[in-house]
Every structure is written in structure tokens, then in C-alpha cells.
Amino acid sequence: MDFQPYPFEKLQALIKDIPIKAGRITLTIGEPQFPTPRSICNALKESVDLLNKYPKTTGEDYLKQAMLGFVKRRFNVDLDTTMLIPTFGTREVLFNFPQFYLFDKKSPVIAHPNPFYQIYEGASIASRAKTIYMNLTQENNFMPSLTKEQMQKCDLVILNSPNNPTGATMSLEALKQWVKNALEFDFLLLNDECYSEIYSSEKPTSILEASVAVGNTHFRNILSLNSISKRSSAPGLRSGFIAGDSEVLKAYMQYRTYIGCASPLPLQKAASVAWSDEAHTESSRIEYAKNLKLAKEILCKKISNLPIPKETFYVWLPVKDDLAFTRNLLEQENILVLPGSFLSRTDVQGENPGSNFVRLALVYEEAVIKDALLRISKWI
């Protein structure tokens, strides 16, 4: 399998000759820098004696019920137990689900956004699938689209709203149209919603809500992925779920019994506390909103039409040369960002929509982010 190096491997190669200095501010990775809430940590510590038991691949009932409760509270969507599978985070699902689903397809085709979370590409390679890139550009407001001809060819379409790295979020109406397309052209539609709980004002819409809104209450051809990694500042718990079409999930559950992705019971106990509680998410959400507000105040003085998102914690910053900008910023300001060209691919028309952008992950406290943004603004 011809996998490309991960973006962070490419970044290390790009900056390998630049000496490491104390005080570096790293804005490259979407890893929350706020502490995991004590209630979650305490649940983990109190459950360590469960390490002497094998976890079930299906997940414990208390965890599944906590996840179903989250979906009901957050999206007002009622799912039964056949419509949701707890998973070991969502990265493993994004990699192995396409391999499962596309295994019997003669000439499988995946469509996904470009730029993208690189695991989408890895899944496509492992599935021996042809990839259709949905380029996200300033001209299309960073919104994915396919022609009718492309939709006729697709077996699996992956969306990512709210989006990494652009921060763009699709409206209910846009998601409803995607559900209609999935039903009309009979492709499986999966929305990666791992940033749904990082927002400043309006709550982002789930593809499950859109499915119900068009009358597809059994979620035929529709799947959602979500995670507590960003929501609860707990990426180390590796707790996520896949939800939607029960017929697809029934077969996928059988497949999962062979791949050994069961979550340890102490992690499930802690995760169930996280999924059951909304209050603890508010403090970090407020901090991320402050950081995005700072980005608007500081960066838009230099780029007046820069779209600062109200969701996620990313800024997709246009620059003249993303590789040179990254090196220069590190050398001059000791701030490390991620080149956009490392997050995207050149399409058949020769266009790379990530070129000449850098991604800023605003995951630190307000004072650190303000300092970093003021220094970055000098170079744009």
C-alpha cells in the first residue's frame, strides 16, 4: 500500500534544519490544551479494577445508553440500539469502515473533501478505491459538491462538517440536499462530525437531523461519526461512535468482532460520564470562542475578507507560499503552523486547494493565542 507520510512527518522534514528554541508555540495539531474535567478523570481512576476483564466489541450498555442520550439531547434524534455502535475513537472507523463497506464493490469509488483529514485518503488506498476530490476553495465558500455524473459513480461519500481544516459548516438545508442525493443516487453518505460541539453561537447540525427532516427516519444510506476528543478535552479516552443506517451497522458490527478494537472497561466508564454530561463542555467552548474572536479582531485588520469560522478552533489562513511562510514564521517568531499543501492533494485538473494556506489550531488559553496572533499578523 502506497501511503503518503502524515502531514506532521512532512512538517518535521520541512523544518529539520531549524534549531529548536525554548518557548515555541505550536499551532499545528488539533489537540485540546485544556485539562480533562475531573469527573471524567475520577471515573477512570475509580474503574481501574476492571482491567482484569475483557471488554465486549459491542461496547457496554451503559456507554451505548450515554451516547444515545447525547444524540437525543443534542440533536433531538431518537435512535434505537441497532442504530449506534460505540467505537475506539473515530480514526479507526474512518480507516476500517470503508474497507468493510467497499470490499465487495467491483470498482469502488470514494468522494471526500480536499483538503482533508488524511485518514480518508488512507482508507481509500486500503480499499483500492478511486478517489473523487471535492475541492474546498474560497470561491465555493469551502463547501463540498459533486456533479450528478460523479454521484452516479460513488459508493461512499465522506463529508466533514464542521470542517477540518477550513472551519466551514454546512447548513441544515445543505445537509438535507446531501441526504436526498444519497437516496436518489444510492450512495452511502457519512458525515464526520467530530467538531460538532466546538461552536461560538449556533449549534452545528448533524446529518442525522437532516435525515429526519427529509423523512428518512430509518437513516437509509446515512451515517454520522462523533467523538468526545474535542468536546471533552479527552482524546486519550478514544471514545467515539458511528450511528445511522441499522442495516449497514449490523453487518459492520459483525466485521468489528474480528478487528480487535474494543475499548478497555475503565475507558468506557470514564467515557460514559463524558457523554452523559453537557455542563463540562461549556468552559472550553467559551475559550475557543474567545480565540476565534481574537483571530477576527487581529487577522482581519490585515485580510479584511478573511472568513473566521464560528465553529471548530481552526483558522485557514491564506499566505503567498505556505512552505516558505511556515519556515519563516518558525525562524523569526518561534511559532509553528501547518502548511495547507500537506493537508490536500493535486486533483486531475492540477489544482491543489490547500496550497498557499496554513492551518492555525487555536487550542491554547487566550493569552497565548493573542500573543501568537499578533506576531503572525506581522507576516501576512
Side-chain angles (χ1 to χ4, degrees):
M1 296 182 188
D2 187 20
F3 293 122
Q4 286 211 26
Y6 233 58
F8 305 108
E9 294 179 60
K10 294 181 180 180
L11 178 61
Q12 290 307 310
L14 177 70
I15 64 171
K16 64 182 180 181
D17 61 324
I18 300 176
I20 296 175
K21 295 183 289 185
R24 176 184 290 184
I25 300 176
T26 301
L27 305 180
T28 56
I29 187 169
E31 180 180 66
Q33 297 301 305
F34 303 113
T36 304
R38 298 313 306 169
S39 59
I40 300 172
C41 295
N42 289 338
L44 179 62
K45 289 189 291 185
E46 292 165 4
S47 305
V48 293
D49 288 345
L50 295 174
L51 286 173
N52 67 341
K53 300 183 183 300
Y54 282 114
K56 296 183 294 188
T57 303
T58 55
E60 297 301 313
D61 289 342
Y62 56 77
L63 177 58
K64 180 174 283 193
Q65 289 301 319
M67 292 171 168
L68 292 170
F70 163 76
V71 174
K72 174 61 178 177
R73 290 191 309 274
R74 174 62 175 82
F75 304 114
N76 196 29
V77 172
D78 289 297
L79 301 176
D80 65 45
T81 57
T82 67
M83 295 175 174
L84 182 145
I85 297 174
T87 61
F88 198 60
T90 54
R91 181 176 177 176
E92 60 100 344
V93 183
L94 287 165
F95 185 65
N96 67 49
F97 178 83
Q99 296 175 65
F100 148 78
Y101 185 73
L102 299 174
F103 181 80
D104 291 324
K105 307 292 183 184
K106 186 176 181 180
S107 300
V109 176
I110 291 179
H112 64 67
N114 186 31
F116 53 88
Y117 178 33
Q118 190 158 318
I119 208 71
Y120 305 163
E121 177 185 72
S124 182
I125 293 169
S127 304
R128 297 185 176 90
K130 175 184 176 182
T131 299
I132 297 175
Y133 293 123
M134 297 185 287
N135 286 358
L136 308 180
T137 66
Q138 289 177 305
E139 291 70 28
N140 62 26
N141 295 314
F142 305 108
M143 293 294 161
S145 65
L146 292 170
T147 65
K148 288 184 178 181
E149 292 73 20
Q150 289 173 323
M151 286 189 283
Q152 288 170 341
K153 297 176 182 177
C154 283
D155 298 294
L156 174 63
V157 175
I158 301 175
L159 303 178
N160 177 210
S161 175
N163 182 257
N164 167 25
T166 70
T169 300
M170 300 175 72
S171 67
L172 174 60
E173 290 304 312
L175 289 171
K176 284 165 60 177
Q177 185 58 56
W178 272 106
V179 173
K180 293 175 182 177
N181 292 341
L183 296 173
E184 179 181 353
F185 295 96
D186 196 27
F187 57 77
L188 190 65
L189 178 64
L190 185 156
N191 190 26
D192 178 357
E193 301 178 0
C194 290
Y195 292 90
S196 70
E197 305 312 290
I198 308 300
Y199 55 84
S200 301
S201 51
E202 294 185 14
K203 297 178 180 180
T205 301
S206 170
I207 197 70
L208 299 175
E209 293 177 272
S211 186
V212 171
V214 301
N216 185 27
T217 56
H218 293 289
F219 308 104
R220 183 169 73 85
N221 287 3
I222 303 300
L223 292 170
S224 163
L225 283 180
N226 215 318
S227 163
I228 59 169
S229 294
K230 321 298 182 185
R231 172 184 180 273
S232 300
S233 299
L237 276 184
R238 311 309 305 138
S239 181
F241 65 73
I242 182 169
D245 190 323
S246 59
E247 289 301 311
V248 174
L249 293 182
K250 180 180 179 181
Y252 180 52
M253 187 65 249
Q254 183 67 34
Y255 169 84
R256 288 183 64 80
T257 62
Y258 287 87
I259 60 177
C261 287
S263 177
L265 292 177
L267 271 63
Q268 292 194 53
K269 283 286 188 181
S272 68
V273 170
W275 285 111
S276 298
D277 176 49
E278 302 302 322
H280 75 273
T281 66
E282 188 63 24
S283 58
S284 58
R285 187 182 296 133
I286 290 171
E287 293 302 314
Y288 294 135
K290 289 179 183 177
N291 290 345
L292 291 173
K293 183 180 178 183
L294 280 173
K296 187 175 183 66
E297 293 171 353
I298 295 170
L299 300 180
C300 288
K301 289 181 180 179
K302 291 293 190 76
I303 307 175
S304 59
N305 62 344
L306 177 65
I308 301 295
K310 294 183 179 180
E311 295 80 25
T312 78
F313 39 56
Y314 295 120
V315 171
W316 192 231
L317 183 68
V319 295
K320 290 183 178 180
D321 181 325
D322 58 317
L323 302 184
F325 181 90
T326 297
R327 284 183 54 86
N328 185 55
L329 189 68
L330 182 59
E331 289 178 314
Q332 301 299 321
E333 301 291 345
N334 205 23
I335 297 173
L336 187 59
V337 297
L338 188 63
S341 58
F342 292 173
L343 294 166
S344 55
R345 299 291 180 265
T346 301
D347 64 13
V348 293
Q349 281 78 40
E351 179 182 0
N352 185 323
S355 292
N356 303 330
F357 284 87
V358 294
R359 189 185 74 177
L360 314 180
L362 309 185
V363 293
Y364 293 88
E365 61 269 21
E366 186 178 9
V368 174
I369 294 300
K370 183 176 182 179
D371 175 49
L373 291 172
L374 286 170
R375 289 154 61 189
I376 290 170
S377 69
K378 296 187 298 184
W379 301 94
I380 60 175

